[in-house]
Amino acid sequence: MTHTDPQQEIDQLRDEIRKHDRRYYVDAAPTITDQEYDELLDRLKQLEAEHPELLTTDSPTQRVGGEPLEGFRTVPHARPMLSIDNTYDVENLSKWAQRCFEALDPRLTEIEAELAAIDQREAPIKGKRDKESQSLRKQGKEQRETLRVKADEILVAAAKCGYTIEGDYLAEPKIDGVAINLRYENGLLMLASTRGDGTHGDDVTQNIRTIHAIPLRLAATAALPAPEVLEVRGEIFLPNAEFQRINQAFLDAGKEPFANPRNATAGTLKQLDSMAVAERRLQFLAHGQGEVVGMEFDTHTRFLEALAAWGVPASPLAKLCRSIHEVWKLIEQFDAQRDQLAYDVDGVVVKLDRFDQREQLGTTSRFPRWCIAYKYPAEQAVTKLLQVDWQVGKTGKLTPRATMEPVFVAGTTVQHATLHNYGEILRKDIRIGDTVIIEKAGEIIPQVVRVDLDQRPANLPPLEPPEKCPDCAGEVEAEQDDTGKETARYCMNPECPAQLRERLIHFAARGQMDIDGMGEKIVLQLADAGLLNSFGDIFELHKKREQLLALDRMGEKKADNLLAGIEAAKARGLDRVLCGLGIRHIGSTVARILAKHYGTIKTLQEATREDIQSFQTDGQESGIGPEIATSIHHFLHSPAGKHVIEELRAANVTLAVSQPIEQNTPQIFAGKTFVVTGKLEKCTRDEIHALVEQHGGKTSSSVSKNTDYLVAGQKAGSKLVKAEQLGVRVLSESQWEELLDRHEVGQEKRP
Ligand code: IVH
């Protein structure tokens, strides 16, 4: 091929390279060697260098570039990025299909309508005892009965055939990676953002551009032009081999490796320098759509077909199924294959294929009702317990950590597990030298499930709990529950250096002061160098720039970023400071309640313990009981506590509430108080607390006559008993979800 016009050659090369990207990443069928591909790219680079005026941002040469970022911009999502309801059993999967069927089957919706019509017909005669009314009611009763029988018959038959609906179910592997939203405008990749809190995410476009599987420009054609706006959602992940390569390089460089491919992916996406991202070969597979303008798809399958044509990869393993029975077969098949896949699959996502049906089902506040994830059970492995160390936490809590013979489980090599507390060690009768069965579910820290007593060597001594702090040799105190089981052990030395390190890590972390550039490793490095001995020292670091720069791997830029991060954190507000101080019993919820009520640290310092435990917010108990009140009061009046506050004040850290955030969530729980207790399956207690508060309600840690609802998980103990005595409404986890949904149905479903 000879070219006289460089523009023409450049265009041809770009098309050629994009075509090979597509063959490689979408079709998994490359037609040239890596070397040939590199030659094309080199020629293009050369031409672009000779003719810089012809360079465009969507050129395949422009994946890496630009200055490292200072931080990520937060961007709103055009459509919320929800998560998916999970289940671990086939029973629930079937129930999900039944719910879909009930909402979609025309015969059942007809019956629903008829039942509603009967209700309506009877409304005017409610309570009337005349003959005519009575006979009308009798007629209604019979009709209802007939309709119910009919509905039951339909459901029984449907259960038998696996709830076939008019469209199909679509099942595809659930990839354990990081969700991303890719926004194409007129075919060009304009924005890539992480899920974040579901409504806002981080702009990681620069990093995403380095991923070759993601086209910078859609391969639009006359037959299938690119829509005005196309948001593709999918998963960014690291294939296991690449993950292992990266971790090996980390180990070789003496760095702490990532715990699993998912963490490595998340860590990579958070790199500020896209050059570093380009070195790790991240992958992408699409699994859904966000905002789409200028084109309509009627099914997910059609959407995937269009993506394939545009050069956007999706899972080749997605399959349509007629019934939930077929889905289940597929789940079993995937399970048998999944360890042969190049990447981690932790379950199967099942969705309705037809978009109109999805709309009909709508979403709850957190999940779409048209989609469910079946998760494979946690993998177990057998290994030997070698050692138990007691780690000191920020409140002085001593937590036993097991070191075991390394064992491969669920895609990674595991060597450590938490043993929770001494009571648990006794309950499971765990001894050093035991053969133990461990379990790992996703990113959750491995657990020791049980000991294989048959394998126990004779005369293995029981484990002894520490009588002194393993770090500072300070006094240790144990805590027990009502049954006498030990639930925690604390180092009582307020000056314990290990506690201080943990407190500093907590103070600087996300959710508390959120100091950019001050992660765990930096805190430890600073503490080891003697630069941090108190919270106040953090805000003195700018006076010690020289010493900062003398630290290992601390350049000018990194030091400046750190100092800027510290400066910015000063304005987080009183609640974040209170939560960051790591005072026992003061988590984010309590900190928010205190900050909101007292407004400034000064008012809080002046409050008596009685006032703290008895103040009311909007005419209701705050939920702060004597234990919390004693803890915060004690801290604020202790010499150490006073000193910390003084230091923070001197450093100009904001010790008053920051501006309230504007609320646009419907305040459906206004005036209602919730208590959450027991072991929850689907979400954490903090998540429920946050949802209650977002919706205008209050949360409390103890049940009283002012409690409106108790959300009770498994093994809810004394709070459940008390709630029942007081006649407080008790909700199971799913009833709580229903309550949340019911209030929101109207506005959550798209019109
Ligand atoms: S569909 C409304 N399909 O799993 C969300 N998600 O645990 C619809 N995920 O946030 C998402 N593989 O990032 C879908 N094949 C798949 C998936 C998948 C992984 C992720 C996704 C989601 C998370 C929920």
Side-chain angles (χ1 to χ4, degrees):
M1 233 187 296
T2 53
H3 292 274
T4 45
D5 182 3
Q7 175 78 71
Q8 201 187 354
E9 187 182 356
I10 284 178
D11 284 347
Q12 276 186 8
L13 277 166
R14 287 178 185 164
D15 279 348
E16 181 87 5
I17 292 167
R18 288 187 188 120
K19 187 176 75 194
H20 290 300
D21 277 342
R22 221 160 45 239
R23 289 199 179 139
Y24 189 91
Y25 291 104
V26 184
D27 311 333
T31 50
I32 56 171
T33 63
D34 288 358
Q35 198 190 340
E36 285 164 330
Y37 179 90
D38 289 342
E39 278 166 16
L40 292 172
L41 204 61
D42 285 344
R43 172 71 186 143
L44 178 60
K45 277 185 197 157
Q46 184 197 354
L47 280 170
E48 287 176 344
E50 285 166 13
H51 304 278
E53 74 284 2
L54 300 180
L55 194 60
T56 57
T57 51
D58 63 326
S59 169
T61 59
Q62 299 304 298
R63 288 195 174 272
V64 192
E67 283 291 296
L69 301 172
E70 296 277 323
F72 297 109
R73 192 168 65 105
T74 307
V75 286
H77 295 307
R79 300 266 180 279
M81 285 181 85
L82 301 174
S83 84
I84 321 179
D85 203 1
N86 279 334
T87 178
Y88 285 88
D89 78 72
V90 59
E91 213 50 32
N92 279 337
L93 187 69
S94 223
K95 279 193 196 141
W96 170 79
Q98 180 181 342
R99 286 196 297 277
C100 292
F101 180 87
E102 282 172 348
L104 298 172
D105 186 81
R107 293 163 301 171
L108 288 179
T109 40
E110 172 70 33
I111 290 176
E112 277 303 313
E114 284 178 40
L115 284 169
I118 299 172
D119 286 348
Q120 219 171 18
R121 192 177 72 201
E122 287 180 1
I125 56 158
K126 196 166 177 221
K128 287 195 184 160
R129 308 211 49 84
D130 59 282
K131 232 171 163 188
E132 207 177 318
S133 303
Q134 284 190 354
S135 101
L136 199 63
R137 267 200 295 273
K138 188 162 167 252
Q139 191 193 342
K141 197 172 163 212
E142 282 161 8
Q143 284 173 334
R144 280 198 190 89
E145 200 48 46
T146 322
L147 288 170
R148 293 216 177 94
V149 170
K150 212 162 122 192
D152 280 348
E153 281 169 6
I154 296 172
L155 276 174
V156 169
K160 254 192 211 136
C161 67
Y163 301 109
T164 44
I165 45 177
E166 236 176 73
D168 285 318
Y169 297 97
L170 183 119
E172 62 188 5
K174 182 170 183 327
I175 300 168
D176 200 12
V178 174
I180 204 89
N181 184 59
L182 305 176
R183 186 177 174 90
Y184 291 90
E185 290 176 11
N186 298 312
L188 287 185
L189 178 65
M190 300 305 282
L191 176 69
S193 46
T194 59
R195 190 164 97 96
D197 65 2
T199 60
H200 291 80
D202 285 341
D203 174 353
V204 288
T205 316
Q206 195 156 315
N207 288 345
I208 291 298
R209 287 175 63 93
T210 67
I211 303 174
H212 284 257
I214 295 177
L216 301 177
R217 164 196 283 275
L218 298 177
T221 57
L224 192 66
E228 205 177 307
V229 175
L230 173 78
E231 285 190 350
V232 181
R233 289 182 176 169
E235 213 69 4
I236 306 281
F237 60 97
L238 276 170
N240 291 328
E242 179 64 3
F243 165 69
Q244 256 135 33
R245 185 189 70 80
I246 294 166
N247 259 1
Q248 192 53 53
F250 266 56
L251 283 171
D252 293 347
K255 290 195 246 172
E256 179 86 5
F258 289 107
N260 55 42
R262 188 194 138 91
N263 286 1
T265 305
T268 304
L269 281 181
K270 276 198 235 138
Q271 294 279 324
L272 293 171
D273 183 358
S274 65
M275 295 280 265
V277 182
E279 282 164 18
R280 305 192 191 155
R281 270 148 261 158
L282 292 170
Q283 289 288 357
F284 170 78
L285 288 175
H287 52 56
Q289 62 172 35
E291 186 179 34
V292 181
V293 180
M295 193 171 283
E296 265 196 56
F297 301 97
D298 50 7
T299 62
H300 193 76
T301 311
R302 290 255 180 282
F303 175 67
L304 291 180
E305 280 164 11
L307 290 187
W310 287 322
V312 182
S315 175
L317 300 171
K319 290 266 162 29
L320 288 176
C321 298
R322 289 295 302 147
S323 69
I324 206 71
H325 296 336
E326 264 184 48
V327 169
W328 182 246
K329 251 191 246 154
L330 206 72
I331 288 177
E332 288 182 321
Q333 267 173 26
F334 277 153
D335 194 16
Q337 294 172 4
R338 74 192 162 110
D339 55 351
Q340 289 153 35
L341 287 177
Y343 46 85
D344 271 4
V345 165
D346 60 346
V348 172
V349 180
V350 190
K351 1 186 166 172
L352 296 179
D353 191 39
R354 265 172 57 170
F355 288 158
D356 60 332
Q357 294 181 336
R358 290 187 184 184
E359 289 213 4
Q360 221 171 315
L361 274 137
T363 70
T364 74
S365 60
R366 287 173 303 151
F367 312 126
R369 293 199 184 83
W370 45 263
C371 177
I372 194 163
Y374 170 83
K375 300 255 266 196
Y376 291 115
E379 265 183 48
Q380 294 193 336
V382 180
T383 181
K384 198 164 160 192
L385 180 62
L386 301 177
Q387 191 180 323
V388 173
D389 298 304
W390 293 79
Q391 295 190 313
V392 189
K394 65 179 190 296
T395 55
K397 192 172 184 172
L398 303 177
T399 306
R401 185 173 88 137
T403 301
M404 302 156 304
E405 271 175 9
V407 58
F408 195 75
V409 52
T412 51
T413 303
V414 166
Q415 202 174 355
H416 299 290
T418 170
L419 299 177
H420 303 287
N421 56 52
Y422 188 59
E424 279 294 285
I425 294 181
L426 287 180
R427 190 175 70 80
K428 292 178 184 158
D429 189 16
I430 299 170
R431 306 182 186 194
I432 291 169
D434 264 335
T435 299
V436 290
I437 286 91
I438 62 158
E439 184 176 282
K440 197 175 126 222
E443 59 187 327
I444 302 163
I445 315 162
Q447 307 286 323
V448 171
V449 189
R450 62 184 176 86
V451 169
D452 185 350
L453 288 175
D454 293 341
Q455 305 292 326
R456 175 173 288 171
N459 307 325
L460 217 52
L463 258 165
E464 295 292 341
E467 301 301 341
K468 296 264 176 242
C469 170
D471 200 79
C472 71
E475 288 300 310
V476 165
E477 271 181 25
E479 254 180 25
Q480 274 121 18
D481 66 10
D482 306 343
T483 66
K485 180 186 166 218
E486 182 171 321
T487 50
R489 212 159 247 266
Y490 289 93
C491 159
M492 303 307 286
N493 173 12
E495 280 162 18
C496 169
Q499 282 182 49
L500 176 68
R501 285 194 298 269
E502 294 302 319
R503 278 205 290 272
L504 289 167
I505 291 169
H506 171 78
F507 186 77
R510 262 194 182 195
Q512 287 74 251
M513 298 305 273
D514 196 4
I515 303 180
D516 248 8
M518 200 162 164
E520 180 168 340
K521 283 197 190 121
I522 298 288
V523 173
L524 294 180
Q525 197 184 7
L526 293 168
D528 286 348
L531 292 172
L532 289 188
N533 293 304
S534 70
F535 295 125
D537 283 353
I538 296 176
F539 302 99
E540 298 282 309
L541 280 174
H542 64 279
K543 298 182 188 159
K544 301 178 187 158
R545 203 161 173 279
E546 290 285 296
Q547 283 151 282
L548 264 184
L549 288 173
L551 296 176
D552 236 19
R553 294 190 299 274
M554 178 69 77
E556 297 252 346
K557 185 147 192 143
K558 201 165 161 192
D560 287 341
N561 281 345
L562 172 63
L563 294 175
I566 292 172
E567 192 55 35
K570 286 184 182 173
R572 298 274 183 257
L574 181 59
D575 60 327
R576 302 279 213 103
V577 175
L578 284 177
C579 178
L581 293 175
I583 307 161
R584 235 164 123 187
H585 306 303
I586 317 294
S588 59
T589 309
V590 171
R592 263 201 305 271
I593 296 173
L594 289 171
K596 197 170 160 207
H597 182 73
Y598 291 103
T600 65
I601 194 77
K602 190 158 176 288
T603 335
L604 179 57
Q605 277 174 315
E606 285 164 2
T608 61
R609 199 165 51 115
E610 289 66 35
D611 185 47
I612 299 176
Q613 77 183 61
S614 64
F615 73 79
Q616 302 212 326
T617 51
D618 308 326
Q620 293 225 5
E621 265 180 45
S622 69
I624 291 178
E627 223 179 353
I628 300 175
T630 307
S631 174
I632 181 84
H633 189 266
H634 176 263
F635 174 83
L636 292 172
H637 294 272
S638 67
K642 283 191 206 161
H643 182 66
V644 170
I645 303 293
E646 258 332 296
E647 278 190 327
L648 296 179
R649 185 176 287 132
N652 272 329
V653 173
T654 305
L655 296 172
V657 274
S658 44
Q659 287 304 312
I661 309 153
E662 253 197 78
Q663 289 263 13
N664 48 16
T665 317
Q667 303 295 290
I668 51 175
F669 296 147
K672 299 273 184 258
T673 301
F674 285 71
V675 175
V676 187
T677 189
K679 196 166 164 284
L680 301 161
E681 288 184 341
K682 295 189 186 157
C683 55
T684 66
R685 199 172 299 184
D686 283 347
E687 280 166 353
I688 299 189
H689 283 172
L691 280 165
V692 167
E693 284 171 18
Q694 271 166 27
H695 290 83
K698 281 206 270 320
T699 56
S700 164
S701 52
S702 56
V703 175
S704 73
K705 60 182 188 332
N706 293 324
T707 310
D708 295 285
Y709 294 99
L710 176 76
V711 181
Q714 299 290 311
K715 298 200 185 136
S718 57
K719 288 185 191 160
L720 181 58
V721 177
K722 188 152 179 209
E724 279 165 355
Q725 281 167 355
L726 291 171
V728 169
R729 268 209 64 190
V730 178
L731 302 173
S732 69
E733 206 177 344
S734 49
Q735 283 169 324
W736 144 255
E737 285 180 342
E738 272 170 33
L739 183 73
L740 190 65
D741 298 347
R742 213 171 43 231
H743 280 95
E744 297 197 343
V745 159
Q747 41 108 201
E748 287 287 336
K749 271 195 184 178
R750 278 190 261 154

